[in-house]
Amino acid sequence: MDGVKRTRLSPEERRAQLIGLGVRMLADRPLEQISVEDIADQAGVSAGLLFHYFASKHDFHLAIVRYTSAEMLAHTAPNPDLEPLEIVRDAMASYVDYVSENRGTYLPLLRGTTSSDPDMREVCEETRAEMVRRVVEHLPSLGIEPTARTELSVRGWIAFVEEATISWLRRPQISRDDLIDLQVSALTAVTLGVEAAAVLPG
Amino acid sequence: MDGVKRTRLSPEERRAQLIGLGVRMLADRPLEQISVEDIADQAGVSAGLLFHYFASKHDFHLAIVRYTSAEMLAHTAPNPDLEPLEIVRDAMASYVDYVSENRGTYLPLLRGTTSSDPDMREVCEETRAEMVRRVVEHLPSLGIEPTARTELSVRGWIAFVEEATISWLRRPQISRDDLIDLQVSALTAVTLGVEAAAVLPG
């Protein structure tokens, strides 16, 4: 445990520091067990000061979940320099690696252990909605028309990707590359429909 | 509200009656708000007697969730008299209809609002595992070999089906038949892989 110096931080820096400590703690224990006092201790501030930045323990927990979701979205942002299908493959690889590397923090959110709380659920829903939006926007470049049916398929596909990734982490019976390949193929398969999918490369 | 007669029921009948009242109440309110006293009142028994059948409120809630999951599985059991691909279509139709008709009771379980409780989560996991088992067992009759990769795809597909059904109920932009068709096509598409899927009828 490295001692944290009592340095003067700007409000933004202090807020970020507290969230960062919370995220790190989330790797060891469930969200409900993250104590505001422990975080304040580690930051070298009083619990009172923490409550200056976050109205309640619930607000602090929510900020941790928001940060983690935003981080995942940042890591999986599409790279416009790649070919259309490679953009999907690249984003999937980033997703699988992000979830693997952050299984302590991101997996509990995915598995919905926080989902009895409506605010937490909203963050998860917004995160999924953003993933759906990205994919739907990308469909035309793959030659797929975004219809009500394809949009529903994309929603389903996001759930497919989450579940396949979770199951794979639990029992990795195929290689990482095969998992990514499975997920990319599944997108083209479910959105293009069975016949059309056969004509798409790889 | 129809008055329930104080009849002598066998222990099995009484247990089933209490669970049935709980399931009916689940259509109106979240599980956490189902009070043991209200249920006992409706059944015309004392709360003490209810606790004779269920060790705790938590146990009673768990019994309600187990019952609902078992009911869904019973409704979607494969019909062996049909052709292999029709078995999938028939089960999907039953699934979509069951979830539609029981959106008050089954949907909250699906959306994981009960999932901060490990026991509830286990029931949901077991239900999904049974759905996966059924589909994996059925794959050979569709000409699909069950490998580690196809099994992972089936797991993902179950999540796909759940999410597509939930999204569709919220915003039914395509017809019921199109939804069922989308789900059946998705199974063959993700398990057969892109090329092979094109040769399958339907």
Side-chain angles (χ1 to χ4, degrees), chain A residues 18-183:
Chain A
L18 294 168
I19 293 175
L21 289 170
V23 170
R24 224 193 289 166
M25 205 173 270
L26 189 59
D28 302 331
R29 65 195 80 174
L31 196 61
E32 315 87 69
Q33 285 171 28
I34 295 186
S35 122
V36 161
E37 287 72 22
D38 285 354
I39 296 286
D41 249 18
Q42 285 193 17
V45 302
S46 66
L49 185 75
L50 191 142
F51 286 120
H52 176 74
Y53 292 98
F54 308 97
S56 62
K57 184 177 171 175
H58 174 256
D59 264 30
F60 179 56
H61 287 173
L62 203 54
I64 296 174
V65 171
R66 281 216 181 94
Y67 177 88
T68 306
S69 290
E71 190 182 53
M72 183 281 289
L73 287 174
H75 271 77
T76 56
N79 175 356
D81 296 337
L82 301 174
E83 294 294 312
L85 197 62
E86 283 313 304
I87 290 179
V88 181
R89 189 175 302 276
D90 174 67
M92 267 308 100
S94 304
Y95 180 82
V96 168
D97 292 343
Y98 181 83
V99 181
S100 301
E101 284 157 23
N102 297 275
R103 60 184 85 187
T105 52
Y106 195 66
L107 223 52
L109 306 185
L110 262 191
R111 290 216 74 79
T113 46
T114 53
S115 67
S116 56
D117 181 290
D119 294 327
M120 302 288 177
R121 221 161 49 225
E122 203 186 314
V123 178
C124 293
E125 301 257 330
E126 277 168 13
T127 307
R128 279 187 190 126
E130 173 58 23
M131 292 167 86
V132 169
R133 222 171 1 250
R134 278 183 184 171
V135 178
V136 169
E137 269 178 17
H138 187 61
L139 289 181
S141 73
L142 293 169
I144 303 165
E145 203 195 335
T147 63
R149 183 175 162 133
T150 44
E151 198 182 315
L152 204 52
S153 298
V154 171
R155 289 197 162 273
W157 178 73
I158 296 291
F160 177 103
V161 164
E162 291 181 350
E163 180 57 39
T165 306
I166 291 171
S167 293
W168 178 77
L169 279 172
R170 224 191 273 160
R171 286 202 307 155
Q173 294 192 305
I174 64 175
S175 72
R176 166 189 171 277
D177 289 354
D178 278 352
L179 173 69
I180 293 162
D181 183 59
L182 180 159
Q183 293 175 332

Side-chain angles (χ1 to χ4, degrees), chain A residues 111-113 115-116 121 125 149 151-153 155-157 159-160 163 167 170-171 181-182 189 194 197-198, chain B residues 111-113 115-116 121 125 149 151-153 155-157 159-160 163 167 170-171 174 181-182 189 194 197-198:
Chain A
R111 290 216 74 79
T113 46
S115 67
S116 56
R121 221 161 49 225
E125 301 257 330
R149 183 175 162 133
E151 198 182 315
L152 204 52
S153 298
R155 289 197 162 273
W157 178 73
F160 177 103
E163 180 57 39
S167 293
R170 224 191 273 160
R171 286 202 307 155
D181 183 59
L182 180 159
V194 172
Chain B
R111 288 218 74 79
T113 48
S115 67
S116 55
R121 222 159 51 223
E125 301 257 329
R149 185 178 162 132
E151 196 182 317
L152 204 51
S153 298
R155 292 200 159 268
W157 178 72
F160 177 102
E163 179 57 39
S167 292
R170 223 191 273 159
R171 287 202 307 154
I174 64 175
D181 183 59
L182 179 158
V194 171

Side-chain angles (χ1 to χ4, degrees), chain B residues 61-164:
Chain B
H61 286 173
L62 203 54
I64 296 175
V65 171
R66 281 218 181 93
Y67 177 88
T68 307
S69 291
E71 190 182 51
M72 184 282 288
L73 287 174
H75 271 77
T76 56
N79 175 354
D81 296 337
L82 301 173
E83 293 293 310
L85 197 62
E86 283 314 303
I87 290 179
V88 180
R89 191 177 300 277
D90 175 68
M92 266 308 100
S94 304
Y95 180 83
V96 168
D97 293 344
Y98 179 84
V99 181
S100 301
E101 284 156 23
N102 298 278
R103 60 185 86 187
T105 52
Y106 196 68
L107 223 51
L109 305 188
L110 261 191
R111 288 218 74 79
T113 48
T114 51
S115 67
S116 55
D117 182 290
D119 294 328
M120 303 288 177
R121 222 159 51 223
E122 201 186 317
V123 178
C124 295
E125 301 257 329
E126 276 168 12
T127 308
R128 279 189 190 125
E130 173 57 24
M131 294 168 82
V132 169
R133 218 169 3 246
R134 277 182 184 172
V135 178
V136 169
E137 268 178 17
H138 188 60
L139 289 181
S141 73
L142 292 169
I144 303 164
E145 202 197 334
T147 61
R149 185 178 162 132
T150 44
E151 196 182 317
L152 204 51
S153 298
V154 171
R155 292 200 159 268
W157 178 72
I158 296 292
F160 177 102
V161 163
E162 290 182 350
E163 179 57 39

